[in-house]
Amino acid sequence: MQEKILVFGANGQIGTELVEQLRTIHGGSAIIACDIKDPDFAHRHDGPFEHGDVLQEASLQALFKKHKPTQVFHLAALLSAVGEQRPQVAWELNMNGLLHVLELAVEFKTAKVFWPSSIAVFGPGSPKHNTPQFCVMDPSTVYGISKLAGERWCEYYYLKHGLDVRSIRYPGLMGWKAEPGGGTTDYAVHIFREAIKRREYECFLRADTQIPMMYMPDAIRASLELMEAPAEKLTTRSAYNIAGLSFSPAMLAREIRKHIPQLTVTYLKNDHRQAIANSWPNSIDDSVAREDWNWQARFNLEDICEDMLDNLRKIALR
Ligand code: SER
């Protein structure tokens, strides 16, 4: 079957890489990139692009009608740090955007929907280490609350409407192709750019703050593998825990110093993002994803640092 895939939030950190990968697999014209802002020059000519605001249900409906997607990846969201600054906006975008997409996917009989959840669904009451798939979930950020509510809505649409919706609880994501925007784990990307440019970085999280993280190629592969998995193998329709690695800013700085020994890192003491990070797990148990669809991360910290620095240096030389 020829797929037709709509990607909302196509210009974001995940969207930029996902659209590229989907176009390699299905061909450029099969993937309709949608975002509220124009794509970067680098991505402008890769394939079809539509302006689309997931909060405008009528214009969203027009896009479903025009393209009749077989799959939708709905990535548009406000992340944790910026969400705390604009709680109502975050709730409105993260919640109503998802509800519009779920409703239209049912109306237009979209075969499969992907929506990213996050480790932010966990909170201070969740087990800190090897946080399991099912446990206490008491998120303390608006972002986390919207992701947890979103998970429940995804499962609800699966149960009530038979919508084949699939989701992953992403850890913090690191990549060199697109900047993250407004997250608590963004430091792990910024540090590389600053290490190359200035040999110094002021980190907004404390040195020993350990958070689950993942390299973007693993994250993209996870989404695609989950979307390809046979429906009957999937035992959870809320969102799957997936684990990559777990490290602190100090551990990351130590690894980068193997390549850039002059790097100095200072740590802010009172940044509002620290409380967010403190409420999240240190590490994740992903045994259900491993069991259901053979999930396994590939990149360790050493590989990630080498690849990030290699690619960011090439970009800096351009
Ligand atoms: N990386 C995201 C954030 O920091 C978590 O999903 O907000």
Side-chain angles (χ1 to χ4, degrees), residues 175-176 179-180 186-204 252-253 256-257 259-266 268 305 308-309 311-313 315-316:
W176 54 269
E179 290 268 3
D186 296 8
Y187 89 87
V189 176
H190 297 157
I191 191 172
F192 284 96
R193 294 178 186 268
E194 295 303 304
I196 291 172
K197 241 195 299 179
R198 301 192 301 122
R199 307 274 185 264
E200 56 183 56
Y201 179 62
E202 185 173 70
C203 183
F204 55 77
L252 179 57
I256 297 175
R257 270 192 214 104
H259 305 265
I260 304 176
Q262 313 90 312
L263 173 66
T264 55
V265 181
T266 50
L268 288 176
C305 288
M308 285 285 287
L309 290 169
N311 284 294
L312 288 171
R313 277 177 172 142
I315 292 173

Side-chain angles (χ1 to χ4, degrees), residues 166-177:
R166 305 173 179 206
S167 177
I168 279 171
R169 292 174 184 147
Y170 277 130
L173 298 179
M174 313 156 74
W176 54 269
K177 292 186 183 173

Side-chain angles (χ1 to χ4, degrees), residues 42 53 106 137 139 148 159 185 202 206 224 254 272 276 278:
D53 178 349
V106 172
M137 296 166 96
L148 183 53
L159 294 171
T185 54
E202 185 173 70
R206 280 202 306 267
L224 298 176
R254 205 175 310 134
H272 73 106
I276 302 177
N278 290 348

Side-chain angles (χ1 to χ4, degrees), residues 13 78-82 117-121 143 147 169-173 180-186 211-213 276 280:
Q13 191 196 11
L78 232 57
L79 292 188
S80 60
V82 80
S117 186
S118 160
I119 53 158
V121 292
Y143 176 71
K147 288 294 180 186
R169 292 174 184 147
Y170 277 130
L173 298 179
T184 303
T185 54
D186 296 8
I211 309 179
M213 301 291 299
I276 302 177
W280 289 351

